[in-house]
Amino acid sequence: MSFLLPKLTSKKEVDQAIQSTAEKVLVLRFGRDEDPVCLQLDDILSKTSSDLSKMAAIYLVDVDRTPVYTHYFDISYIPSTVFFFNGQHMKVDYGSPDHTKFVGSFKTKQDFIDLIEVIYRGAMRGKLIVQSPIDPKNIPKYDLLYQDI
């Protein structure tokens, strides 16, 4: 399914997507094409991309080809999904210590759609952090890894 979504393969392409995506939520899925959990997430992203086309632009980013962003967003687990709006990094309170990214796959297409709608509405009102609409039991649990401390 990952072949249905556009891929960003360099820091320059990611920079360009962040700077040029206006009035839409920019969804960046960091991961690897061959990873089973990434493929599960890609399936959800590709099935919802046309429904969300007025609200969101979805791209796949290979963690091995964009080490600057992998390090910047502290991507220790894949897939990790990061959101932007008009060049601003959008944060989401999932009830976990990390508000910068969603780690893992969404349980349902509806969870992803609800999240995009909340981010979009919040961003249109000037918010940089929004409350996750996803049921906490559908949010993967993981321990933060702090490296180089």
Side-chain angles (χ1 to χ4, degrees):
M1 281 300 168
S2 26
F3 61 88
L4 297 174
L5 293 166
K7 292 183 171 85
L8 304 176
T9 57
S10 67
K11 178 189 179 299
K12 183 181 179 187
E13 288 180 0
V14 174
D15 289 343
Q16 197 168 5
I18 291 170
Q19 292 163 4
S20 65
T21 304
E23 302 303 314
K24 283 185 180 185
V25 176
L26 173 63
V27 179
L28 299 178
R29 187 281 280 147
F30 286 86
R32 293 187 182 95
D33 288 346
E34 66 279 357
D35 179 82
V37 185
C38 290
L39 289 170
Q40 181 186 348
L41 175 58
D42 294 353
D43 185 48
I44 288 172
L45 298 179
S46 64
K47 284 179 177 169
T48 56
S49 65
S50 65
D51 297 337
L52 292 170
S53 63
K54 297 212 181 335
M55 254 189 279
I58 303 169
Y59 293 95
L60 308 180
V61 183
D62 187 311
V63 288
D64 301 317
R65 297 178 81 178
T66 55
V68 166
Y69 278 110
T70 303
H71 183 73
Y72 180 78
F73 289 119
D74 190 27
I75 310 255
S76 356
Y77 295 106
I78 60 169
S80 286
T81 309
V82 180
F83 305 96
F84 287 86
F85 189 83
N86 289 345
Q88 281 282 350
H89 183 194
M90 292 296 295
K91 295 182 170 80
V92 182
D93 184 349
Y94 302 104
S96 68
D98 187 357
H99 302 334
T100 60
K101 59 190 171 285
F102 185 90
V103 176
S105 180
F106 296 95
K107 290 265 190 286
T108 66
K109 290 190 311 185
Q110 196 57 52
D111 280 349
F112 178 64
I113 291 168
D114 292 347
L115 181 61
I116 294 302
E117 287 175 346
V118 165
I119 293 171
Y120 181 78
R121 283 197 307 267
M124 291 301 273
R125 291 196 309 260
K127 294 185 175 197
L128 295 179
I129 185 165
V130 296
Q131 191 70 41
S132 169
I134 302 171
D135 186 324
K137 71 178 187 301
N138 285 355
I139 296 176
K141 302 283 183 268
Y142 63 95
D143 293 322
L144 290 175
L145 299 178
Y146 292 104
Q147 299 161 332
D148 305 321
I149 293 181

